[in-house]
Structure formats: structure tokens, C-alpha cells
Amino acid sequence: MAQFSPTFLDELISRTDLAAIIARHVELKPSGANLVGLCPFHHEKTPSFSVSVDKQMYYCFGCGKGGNAFRFLMEHDGYPFPEAVEFLAQKAGMPIPASYVKNPKEEARKKQGLDLLTKVAGVFARCLQSDEGKKASLYFTQRKLPATIIQRYQLGYAPAGYGFMKRCFGDEPKILQQLESIGVLVSNERGFADRFRERVMFPIRDKQGHVVGFGGRILGDGEPKYLNSPETDFYHKSNLLYGYSEHREFVRKHKMLVVVEGYMDVLAMAAYDLPYAVAPLGTAITEPQLQNILRLHEAPIFCFDGDRAGRQAAWRSIERMLPLLKTEHSPKFLYLPDGEDPDTLLQKEGKEAFEKRLNDDAKPMLETWLTGLKNIAGDGAEGRARMAKKADQMLLNMSDNYLRQAWQSEIEKISGVALQQQKRPQFTASARHQISPKLQQRLIVSPMKHDLFMAALLQKPKYFRSLPEDAFNFFIDTNPAYPIYTRAFSLAGVEETTELDIAAQLMREFPDNHNIARWVNLPLVEDDEFQMLLLDMHITYLDGLRGRSEGLTVIIRINEELKALRNQQHKLNNSLKNKKTL
Ligand SMILES: [Zn+2]
């Protein structure tokens, strides 16, 4: 993929008002040098989400999400990077540089595909309203879907027989191939044929709201009951959720999200003024889908039919969710009465009773898991042993240590069996670098100090100019900040940098490193504090160097430097003390 030039991206960031982008979703209030608000990425009651207006970066001290405007649009609004850039460029009134050739052919083909998908959705929708679509309209009437819902979700109809697509789009080979590439035609030895026939059609949208594929339900008794688009460049069923783009804003605002099994459940809930459901696309729920769900809302309610198949589906969801689960998540599970789904229940008992069910009957995931384990394991001492063994295996997949311990202690209480819990492999930075413990101890300054040091440098890049020459060695390569520090150091050395440049450039070069955004959002490091830190780090470094040095003259020189630094440290300390007492 072609790349935007760094100058263009820097210019774009400097012309972007990050606070305004974020304020569309979060109420921000000034606090110190920054703005703060409730984090849009995790649920919280007191604000830990900070926006540095100065550096155009945000960071959440609760969940660790952070970055610049591109990152926010990507992580929060689901834009791919190029689209995030285009969105901001348009807002800032900056034309996309001509040098940005993102494979124009490929882009044009993609855009054509998306346009065609939109047209096909329109054609199905119009067919539903025509005479040909009477039977399908009747189906929706019987299912109690009002016209407003049919319009809003652009429901449609693909008529019986072959040739509908050709009737709508002509039979030029080029257009037929395009229709095949978006999954609405299939080719066989006799040519192209309509994939969807005599089906009511549900357009499926991606996160940005583009139609990317369709689900089709047969009218009458044919097989299969549901037929979906095949995998195409646009349609990836394991990543998409029905209702996601339609309901995202409502879910964020009203903090309510229900995961149901089918399209009709999503629509029935919307018809009863509960527009906060999503559904997987006719298959068991996948890990990427669960991730999207937990990112959208930390406490989704998963609804399942209470029959055997429903319970198995719930169990699979639990298994897939374990690796993703964090302490801030609190998913719940709701079993509906045997043979019922949200659609049938809403028609039987109405909105209020259904909402009451959601609120009163949904059980926390832990409880659902424990009940499931009991059912699998059976009774007696053997049952309790089986229960512990199965739990032990499942808990290994949990990545959150605290949560795992909490769940473990619950299962031990119930089964009366202590879990073995094989040790999970630990990957630490120091395991990769073999340094003798003694040397390591001498080299490592408290990580807290390194952290503050980085914060000060990125907050006020002018500090780089006051660093001594040997400051390049202050960080050792086992410190997680090492690559960023050395890069920042060389950036500061070669370039006439403005205040914004270093942090922004680092953000671009280390897009996945959330520390950069965290450092700039930490409370401002004061000048005195920085001077103390600098002396401290310098002394620690020289101390370490002396230990590794041979040759008397070198050691004497280091000792002299150390003595001078300690003097400075002493003076600065005294003047700070005096300041405080004044
Ligand atoms: Zn957060």
C-alpha cells in the first residue's frame, strides 16, 4: 500500500482539533494543562481519559488506550487508516497529495464494488415495494415489521427465477463479472446465475455503514432457510455483525447492548423501539466478533434459546470469550424459554416484559459458566473432580491474571478441589537479554524515573537541549522505553524541532506504543523536577559506568564528574527545600 508522506501527516495532525473530534463522543472538561472526560473505550464513573491539546494526543489512565487523531478514528470509529486520513484531510480542508498513489486501480475497483453493492441493495428494496414483491411484503407484515423498519434497514426482495440481476444491470460481460465479484451472481458452465432467488433480503453493512453483503431468507419452505453472501473482498462473515453500524451510536449513548442469534431478532427489537441488538451472520459467534462486541460495550447481554442447542451455543461463546475477558468487562447471559427467541417473545409479551427479562434474568458470565460446568460434569465426587479438571483447562485460556484467580477461587469453593493451574509462560524483556543480575541492578534506574523522564522530554522537547552528551546511554536496551528514547534522542539532535514534532513523529513511527500518548498526558513535569531527575539519572549512569570501567585515569575522571553532579544535586535539593518552607 502506498504511504502518506510524514510531512503531510504532521501537517494534518497540526491542523486537526483532536478535542473536537473526541468531543463528538465525550464531554471534556479542563484539568491542569489537559482536558479530561469519561473514557469512551471502557466503562467508568470518574474520568481517567485525558486529552493533551498541546500535543494532540489522548490517553486513558484506566484502560491504557491512547494515541493521536488517526488512532482515535481507527480504534473508536472503526476507520481503516487511509480513511481516517481522508476524513481528517477533508475536515481540515487539505487536499490529499497527488503523490499518494494508493494503487489507483485497486482503489477504483474497490469503490466500484461498494457502489455496486449499494445499487444492488436499492434494487432489492425497490423490488420489495413492487408487485413482484407482494408475497415478501406480506411476510414482513406477518412478522409485524412496520414500514419504518423496512426502510431504515433497507430490507428487500430477490424474486424467484433466474435473470433478475441481468434485468436490472444489463448483460455486459464486465458488469456480470463485477456482480459475481460482489457475490450476487454465481458463474457456472451455462453462464451467470442469480445467487439469491425468492428470498427476503437483509443488507449487511460494515463498520462504516457500507453495504458489503446480504443475508437472504427463503420465502416458504425451500432450502437453505438462510443463504448469505460468499466471502468476497468486502464481505468477511467472521468479522461482521448484523446491526453494528446501525446501532453503534445508540449503544454508546444508552449503554445497552444485546447479542441475539438472528436478523429477525435484531429487527424485531428495533421495531419495539429497542435498537441495541447485534447478531452474528448465521454462524457461531467468532473471536473477532466478540472483540468488537466487548469494545462497543463492556456489559453486553447474550441471548440464547433455552433449549439444548442454545445452551451449547452459549457455552461456545463463553469458551471463545475467555481469552478476551478483562476485569472491566461484565458480560451477561440470558436463556429464553424453550423454543423462544426475542422476536417471538416480543410479539407474545411486548416490550416492557421483554426489557424486564433482560434486566432481571440475565446472569453474570461467571454464574453461567459455573452452572454449565456442573451440568457437564455430573454428580458425586467424580463429578466435582471432572468439574475442577475442565475448569482448570478453560482457565488457562484466560489472559487476565486477576480475573483468572477470582474465577479459580470460585470454582474451588464449589468443587472443593484445588486447581493445579499449570504455570502460564511468562515473557519478559529481561528473559530475552542475558545480563548478569549484578550488572542489571547497577544499570537499572527505577522504571518510575525513566517514565517521568520520558514524560518530561516529550512534554517539553526543549529539555533535549539541556541533556549532557552521554545522556544517550541513560536507557538500557532492556527498558521498554529504550527504542523510543533513542529515536527521540536522534530526532532532537538532527532536527530543528517544534514542540509538537517529536511526540507526533514518534507516534507515527511507533503507532502501537500507547506509552507515547500516556507520557504527554501525564501531569506536567515541572522544571525543578526535571533537573532533579536529570541529575539522578546521570549519577546512576556514571555509577554504573564506573563499575564497568578499567584504568585508573578513566575512573578518576568519572569520580570527578560524579562529585560535581552530587554537588549540584545537593544544592538543588536545598533550594527546593527553601522554596517549600517560604
Ligand atoms: Zn479507558
Side-chain angles (χ1 to χ4, degrees), residues 128-129 136-151 153 155-156 200-202 242 263-273 343 346-347:
L128 178 68
Q129 304 303 329
S137 281
L138 189 68
Y139 169 80
F140 285 132
T141 314
Q142 282 162 353
R143 301 293 295 259
K144 302 253 181 341
L145 282 190
T148 46
I149 293 293
I150 291 175
Q151 267 168 25
Y153 296 84
L155 307 185
V200 289
M201 300 299 291
F202 306 87
Y242 187 66
Y263 308 131
M264 283 308 289
D265 300 321
V266 173
L267 295 171
M269 284 183 60
Y272 280 85
D273 204 19
D343 183 19
L346 276 163
Q347 291 190 32

Side-chain angles (χ1 to χ4, degrees), residues 4-14 94 97 501 505 508:
F4 295 100
S5 80
T7 351
F8 172 74
L9 293 178
D10 285 351
E11 171 76 14
L12 182 52
I13 284 287
S14 70
M94 279 175 73
D501 274 346
Q505 177 142 351
R508 217 177 43 238

Side-chain angles (χ1 to χ4, degrees), residues 87 92 181 187 212 246 249 316 339 345-346 353 364 372 377-378 382 407 419 432 445 448 489-490 538 570:
F87 176 85
S181 76
S187 69
V212 290
E246 290 91 340
E249 278 312 306
R316 272 201 304 273
L345 269 182
L346 276 163
E382 294 83 2
W407 284 41
L419 301 197
R432 287 183 287 117
V445 190
M448 264 281 287
F489 201 84
S490 58
H538 203 175
H570 186 69

Side-chain angles (χ1 to χ4, degrees), residues 44-201:
E44 60 177 6
K45 294 203 173 80
T46 49
S48 41
F49 183 78
S50 162
V51 180
S52 159
V53 178
D54 208 25
K55 300 285 187 271
Q56 292 287 304
M57 282 183 205
Y58 65 93
Y59 185 78
C60 172
F61 291 92
C63 68
K65 294 252 186 249
N68 56 17
F70 301 134
R71 189 92 194 173
F72 188 83
L73 288 174
M74 288 158 71
E75 283 211 29
H76 187 270
D77 296 349
Y79 284 82
F81 179 68
E83 261 102 283
V85 173
E86 274 162 37
F87 176 85
L88 292 180
Q90 203 178 14
K91 257 192 153 19
M94 279 175 73
I96 298 282
S99 62
Y100 175 67
V101 272
K102 43 176 182 180
N103 192 348
K105 255 195 193 154
E106 174 64 20
E107 285 305 304
R109 201 185 57 77
K110 265 209 150 152
K111 183 161 185 317
Q112 266 176 8
L114 286 176
D115 287 349
L116 194 55
L117 279 156
T118 305
K119 280 186 193 148
V120 172
V123 162
F124 286 144
R126 277 196 295 283
C127 184
L128 178 68
Q129 304 303 329
S130 73
D131 280 351
E132 226 177 348
K134 280 225 164 86
K135 221 169 103 189
S137 281
L138 189 68
Y139 169 80
F140 285 132
T141 314
Q142 282 162 353
R143 301 293 295 259
K144 302 253 181 341
L145 282 190
T148 46
I149 293 293
I150 291 175
Q151 267 168 25
R152 171 154 190 234
Y153 296 84
Q154 224 190 352
L155 307 185
Y157 177 57
Y162 289 93
F164 179 63
M165 282 294 122
K166 280 187 190 167
R167 282 210 308 276
C168 297
F169 294 96
D171 56 4
E172 297 244 340
K174 200 179 149 203
I175 186 83
L176 295 178
Q177 276 160 16
Q178 279 178 359
L179 287 165
E180 189 200 4
S181 76
I182 61 167
V184 293
L185 285 183
V186 287
S187 69
N188 53 35
E189 60 282 3
R190 279 171 295 149
F192 292 98
D194 297 77
R195 174 182 300 275
F196 300 103
R197 299 178 309 278
E198 206 176 7
R199 288 174 184 273
V200 289
M201 300 299 291

